[in-house]
Structure formats: C-alpha cells, structure tokens
Amino acid sequence: MTEKKIHWFKIADDAALLPWQDNNMCQVEADGKKITMARFGSQFYAFAQKCPHASGIMSDGYIDAQGHVVCPVHRYRFNMQNGRNTSGEGYYLKTYLAEQRPDGIYIGIEQKGWWL
C-alpha cells in the first residue's frame, strides 16, 4: 500500500493577514489551485473554491450553526472537514488539510502520480 504524500504550502505568516470576509471565509492559492479557507471556532478548514453541483463560489456562501459550509447558489451543505454533503444531494466537496503552526497557516495537498 502506498503512503499518502502531503505537500504543505504556507499561505500566510498569521491568520490575521488572510483576506477574511465577514462570513469567516476567504480565497487563497496553493500549488496553483484556488482554495477556500474557512474558520469556525478555533479551527481552520480548506476546501474547493467551487461547489461540485453548480460551481457556486463557496466563499460567497456561509457557515451554518452546525459548522457546515453552505453553497450560495442552491444552499447545499457540506462538512468542512471531510467534504460530505450533509443536505442529502449526494455530492462531495474536495477538502484539503489546514493547520495553524507557530510560524503561519498551512494547507496540505495530497500529491498524486506514479512518480511519487
């Protein structure tokens, strides 16, 4: 079995330096990918920029009281940790690892390919 290889990308020296919107989300770039960052409580989350259903920009949505990100187009809800659709439509939102470390905020992206 092949071990997952995660490459970590530093996106900011401090969370306060990210371009947070009033909904506690922002768009960042890591490894050439546009990614939505979210904060809920003391946790940071990273997931696809667009909804897998109708390509709504996830950072234009909101985070509900249960901590699910809600797409602005059709209000589909997703678990920010694992990408599972929690409103029952059967879609899956791509998620990434997100960590706050002493020296900054990082996003971890799984590296895929036969060359690894």
Side-chain angles (χ1 to χ4, degrees), residues 18-39:
L18 291 170
W20 297 109
Q21 301 171 163
D22 290 339
N23 62 1
N24 285 314
M25 290 190 276
C26 64
Q27 287 189 29
V28 297
E29 190 167 317
D31 196 28
K33 301 175 189 314
K34 290 183 181 178
I35 296 174
T36 300
M37 282 286 302
R39 59 184 173 190

Side-chain angles (χ1 to χ4, degrees), residues 10-100:
K10 185 175 182 179
I11 58 167
D13 289 331
D14 188 270
L17 299 174
L18 291 170
W20 297 109
Q21 301 171 163
D22 290 339
N23 62 1
N24 285 314
M25 290 190 276
C26 64
Q27 287 189 29
V28 297
E29 190 167 317
D31 196 28
K33 301 175 189 314
K34 290 183 181 178
I35 296 174
T36 300
M37 282 286 302
R39 59 184 173 190
F40 184 73
S42 62
Q43 293 293 114
F44 292 94
Y45 300 92
F47 44 87
Q49 175 196 24
K50 294 182 180 180
C51 177
H53 171 246
S55 297
I57 302 299
M58 296 304 290
S59 63
D60 290 342
Y62 64 94
I63 301 170
D64 70 12
Q66 291 79 37
H68 301 125
V69 62
V70 182
C71 176
V73 178
H74 294 110
R75 308 289 186 250
Y76 288 11
R77 293 185 315 270
F78 300 90
N79 180 304
M80 292 189 289
Q81 187 173 7
N82 61 27
R84 291 199 191 334
N85 176 236
T86 60
S87 49
E89 294 81 17
Y91 291 91
Y92 174 81
L93 181 68
K94 174 69 178 161
T95 59
Y96 304 95
L97 298 172
E99 286 186 3
Q100 181 171 12

